[in-house]
């Protein structure tokens, strides 16, 4: 459900202020031509006129098939739960 004049902004869209792009958030409601957004990262609820806001494109969302790929194994990870020789005379047990 959106306001009749907002043909491009709907509830759940990410929007930013046109004059100050540091103010952005998610649309959580409408009161006529007033758009209510929950601002990030403070989670404050602010109200703006619809002409003060613009929708933010979500270009960085990965395609659905990319999310299904498992992450690559890192070869430089050390498992400290296993015993390892540090020097010629000492070894570790558990998290040293």
């Amino acid at each position: 459900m959106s306001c009749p004049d907002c043909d491009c902004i709907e509830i759940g869209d990410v929007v930013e202020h046109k004059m100050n792009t540091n103010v952005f958030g998610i649309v959580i409601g409408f009161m006529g031509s007033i758009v209510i957004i929950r601002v990030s990262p403070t989670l404050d609820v602010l109200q703006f006129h619809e002409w003060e806001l613009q929708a933010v494109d979500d270009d960085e969302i990965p395609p659905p098939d990319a999310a299904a790929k498992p992450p690559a194994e890192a070869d430089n990870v050390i498992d400290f739960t296993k015993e390892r020789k540090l020097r010629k005379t000492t070894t570790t047990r558990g998290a040293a």
Side-chain angles (χ1 to χ4, degrees):
M1 177 111 191
S2 65
C3 66
D5 298 327
C6 302
D7 57 342
C8 62
I9 298 175
E10 296 181 3
I11 291 178
D13 288 348
V14 178
V15 294
E16 67 182 1
H17 195 271
K18 288 182 180 178
M19 298 296 288
N20 183 2
T21 56
N22 291 327
V23 177
F24 64 95
I26 297 176
V27 177
I28 59 172
F30 293 95
M31 291 188 317
S33 67
I34 302 293
V35 180
I36 305 167
I37 67 170
R38 184 170 307 275
V39 182
S40 179
T42 62
L43 300 179
D44 290 338
V45 176
L46 299 178
Q47 301 173 5
F48 295 98
H49 287 281
E50 61 189 30
W51 57 83
E52 295 178 291
L53 301 172
Q54 61 187 4
V56 176
D57 293 330
D58 293 332
D59 292 339
E60 297 181 14
I61 296 176
D65 59 341
K69 295 179 185 175
E73 289 286 327
D75 60 350
N76 61 350
V77 176
I78 299 172
D79 185 7
F80 285 104
T81 60
K82 296 180 181 175
E83 185 174 323
R84 298 215 183 260
K85 291 192 178 246
L86 296 178
R87 295 187 185 112
K88 294 180 181 180
T89 58
T90 61
T91 59
T92 63
R93 289 189 182 153

